[in-house]
Amino acid sequence: MTLKECKKEEKADREFQKKFKFEGSINVLTQMMVDPAATEKRGGGKNLPLRRGEILDVIQFTNQEQILCRNSQRKYGYVPRAVMLHL
């Protein structure tokens, strides 16, 4: 990883912490998959865009309805628990 890529990731992580009021280090708790039968959603605001069968890193179990996740493009957002499957 080049220095430029490393700086870019650090900046994205700082922006995530500010936007979601997340304190502490970002640790991946587990990985989950978006249900292949779920409808794809564009996301927006604080919601993460969803693609069927996509593997997401779980950052935080926020409440009974949503999970804070990160996708493969290092984008962060909330995902409904109803469309997530354990690996």
Side-chain angles (χ1 to χ4, degrees):
M1 181 180 295
T2 65
L3 180 62
K4 187 175 182 180
E5 290 172 336
C6 187
K7 295 273 187 191
K8 188 176 181 181
E9 284 186 8
E10 287 176 7
K11 183 180 178 187
D13 289 347
R14 281 193 308 274
E15 288 174 1
F16 154 73
Q17 288 176 324
K18 185 177 179 182
K19 182 176 182 180
F20 290 93
K21 297 180 177 88
F22 189 85
E23 296 180 7
S25 61
I26 300 170
N27 297 321
V28 176
L29 301 176
T30 187
Q31 288 187 323
M32 296 178 83
M33 181 174 74
V34 177
D35 188 352
T39 58
E40 294 189 8
K41 297 184 180 179
R42 294 183 65 184
K46 291 187 175 182
N47 295 325
L48 193 63
L50 298 178
R51 291 184 306 191
R52 295 179 189 152
E54 182 178 26
I55 306 290
L56 301 175
D57 295 331
V58 175
I59 306 300
Q60 184 180 39
F61 292 98
T62 54
N63 58 34
Q64 294 295 337
E65 291 141 18
Q66 294 184 341
I67 304 172
L68 184 57
C69 295
R70 175 177 67 193
N71 65 14
S72 58
Q73 291 87 34
R74 295 192 64 84
K75 303 277 189 212
Y76 295 90
Y78 292 112
V79 177
R81 279 189 184 225
V83 299
M84 299 298 286
L85 301 174
H86 289 279
L87 293 178

